[in-house]
Amino acid sequence: MNKIALILLYIALAPTTLLAQTASEVLQQVIDTYNSSKGISADYTMTYDRNTDHGTIAMEGDKFRILSTDLMCWYDGTTQWAYSSMTEEVNITEPTQEELQMSNPYAALVAFKSSSNVSMVPTQQGTYMLSLIPQASNSDVKLIQLFVGKQSYQIEKAIFVMADNSQYTVVVENYATGKKFNKNTFKYDPKQVPTGTQVVDLR
């Protein structure tokens, strides 16, 4: 579950100093664009191990909600509720900043920006392709490739290569900004999970 959540929301080729600086600036612009977008929503399709999972994500500041067949996760800024189809239970936690990097896509992006070697390579007109290689030798992620719209500075596609060489591809569509969510959007909704699902409080 942690791998899938991490991969929601991120080959060092020609890593010259100029390209690295440009890549870092683009990545910072992606983060700044998110921070100024207020509430956002998007649909995503994740492909991994010949499996495909479709879902939606809503984010506002440090709050987020992910809904898909394999994973459902709510975080209201303090408490996180996470449902996995593998365990068929909901775990309640109060995650640390480090733990949030495994579930909040933009928390992960900020963390990877400061702990990865970032480079950029030419790609088709209208899109940047950024490559991030984590500096830590024990990182679960070996490589991240981000495809970013040059006009929107929004992530359109991400490819993750994990330490075990498994690969995840995430395509983002219907990205909308300026959304206004009600206060319950980022709190656990038992109607979204199968009836009778066990809730385990790990706080």
Side-chain angles (χ1 to χ4, degrees):
M1 182 186 72
N2 285 343
K3 282 186 180 181
I4 295 176
L6 168 65
I7 288 165
L8 289 172
L9 165 219
Y10 328 111
I11 298 184
L13 299 177
T16 66
T17 302
L18 177 59
L19 284 177
Q21 290 175 343
T22 303
S24 187
E25 291 171 359
V26 171
L27 188 54
Q28 185 60 52
Q29 186 64 48
V30 171
I31 295 169
D32 292 344
T33 298
Y34 168 72
N35 289 334
S36 65
S37 296
K38 298 183 179 179
I40 69 168
S41 66
D43 300 329
Y44 70 87
T45 300
M46 180 184 295
T47 304
Y48 57 99
D49 295 336
R50 298 183 181 180
N51 298 311
T52 300
D53 187 33
H54 302 278
T56 63
I57 186 166
M59 293 188 288
E60 184 177 273
D62 60 354
K63 303 175 184 178
F64 65 92
R65 181 191 66 190
I66 299 171
L67 299 177
S68 76
T69 303
D70 291 339
L71 172 73
M72 297 185 192
C73 191
W74 298 260
Y75 179 67
D76 65 0
T78 302
T79 303
Q80 178 174 278
W81 299 262
Y83 168 81
S84 168
S85 61
M86 296 180 63
T87 63
E88 297 184 337
E89 65 182 26
V90 174
N91 292 330
I92 305 176
T93 59
E94 291 183 354
T96 63
Q97 284 300 115
E98 290 75 16
E99 290 169 337
L100 278 175
Q101 293 170 16
M102 299 298 293
S103 52
N104 184 330
Y106 274 84
L109 192 60
V110 172
F112 274 112
K113 178 181 182 294
S114 61
S115 63
S116 299
N117 296 322
V118 185
S119 61
M120 183 164 61
V121 298
T123 182
Q124 68 265 34
Q125 186 176 3
T127 307
Y128 295 112
M129 190 185 85
L130 306 178
S131 292
L132 289 75
I133 297 181
Q135 296 167 353
S137 59
N138 61 345
S139 174
D140 290 336
V141 182
K142 184 164 65 176
L143 166 69
I144 306 169
Q145 290 181 312
L146 300 178
F147 296 81
V148 177
K150 287 186 177 180
Q151 298 299 320
S152 65
Y153 286 100
Q154 295 167 359
I155 297 173
E156 299 173 351
K157 180 180 177 180
I159 299 174
F160 299 80
V161 180
M162 311 304 290
D164 61 4
N165 290 320
S166 60
Q167 182 170 307
Y168 297 73
T169 300
V170 182
V171 176
V172 180
E173 298 177 306
N174 301 321
Y175 191 104
T177 62
K179 305 289 289 187
K180 294 183 179 180
F181 301 107
N182 64 52
K183 62 181 181 179
N184 294 320
T185 299
F186 306 104
K187 293 184 178 295
Y188 171 57
D189 181 1
K191 296 179 182 178
Q192 297 285 352
V193 303
T195 302
T197 294
Q198 183 179 6
V199 178
V200 181
D201 195 336
L202 301 176
R203 290 174 291 183

